[in-house]
Structure formats: C-alpha cells, structure tokens
C-alpha cells in the first residue's frame, strides 16, 4: 500500500472505505475501498510520516497528524 511501514489505519462508519498512513518515499497516506482494494485517492498534505488518521461520519471528513 505504502512504500514503507504503515503506522495507522482508519475505517469509515460503514466499513467500506479506509485511510492508511505511515512512512513512505513520496506518498504518506492513501484512501482505498476495503472490499476490492481499489485506490480511491492519494491524501496530500503531509510532507513526512503520518502517525494518526481519523475519519468522521458522513459527510466524511478526515484528519491526519504526524511529523513536520
């Protein structure tokens, strides 16, 4: 999923989607569908390792924290 270690995983309230964050070479977080493993998108913003991700209920909102 990521080029290196995964630090955190968060699931949507219906369990159909998840966000993954961790260490990487160029991407530090991604969103995927749990049933098929299809990538929903890359989560841009963090420029270093992501340590925590949380997804709130619909309308979905996601927050990430990590190193600066």
């Amino acid at each position: 999923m990521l080029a290196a270690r995964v630090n955190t995983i968060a699931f949507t309230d219906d369990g159909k989607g998840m966000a993954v964050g961790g260490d990487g070479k160029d991407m530090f977080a991604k969103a995927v569908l749990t049933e098929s493993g299809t990538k929903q998108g890359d989560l841009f913003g963090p420029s270093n390792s992501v340590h925590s991700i949380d997804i709130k209920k619909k309308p979905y909102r996601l927050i990430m924290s990590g190193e600066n």
Side-chain angles (χ1 to χ4, degrees):
M1 176 133 346
L2 298 174
R5 182 180 65 186
V6 171
N7 293 335
T8 183
I9 299 173
F11 291 91
T12 58
D13 57 338
D14 60 3
K16 293 184 179 181
M18 71 176 179
V20 178
D23 301 330
K25 293 183 180 179
D26 57 346
M27 292 304 305
F28 299 99
K30 293 186 180 195
V32 297
L33 293 174
T34 54
E35 294 175 353
S36 64
T38 306
K39 183 173 80 168
Q40 288 296 101
D42 296 322
L43 303 173
F44 293 99
S47 59
N48 217 331
S49 181
V50 173
H51 294 291
S52 178
I53 290 181
D54 191 25
I55 301 174
K56 298 297 179 188
K57 294 182 179 182
K58 287 185 179 180
Y60 294 121
R61 286 161 280 171
L62 184 137
I63 188 165
M64 296 182 280
S65 68
E67 298 176 15
N68 188 5

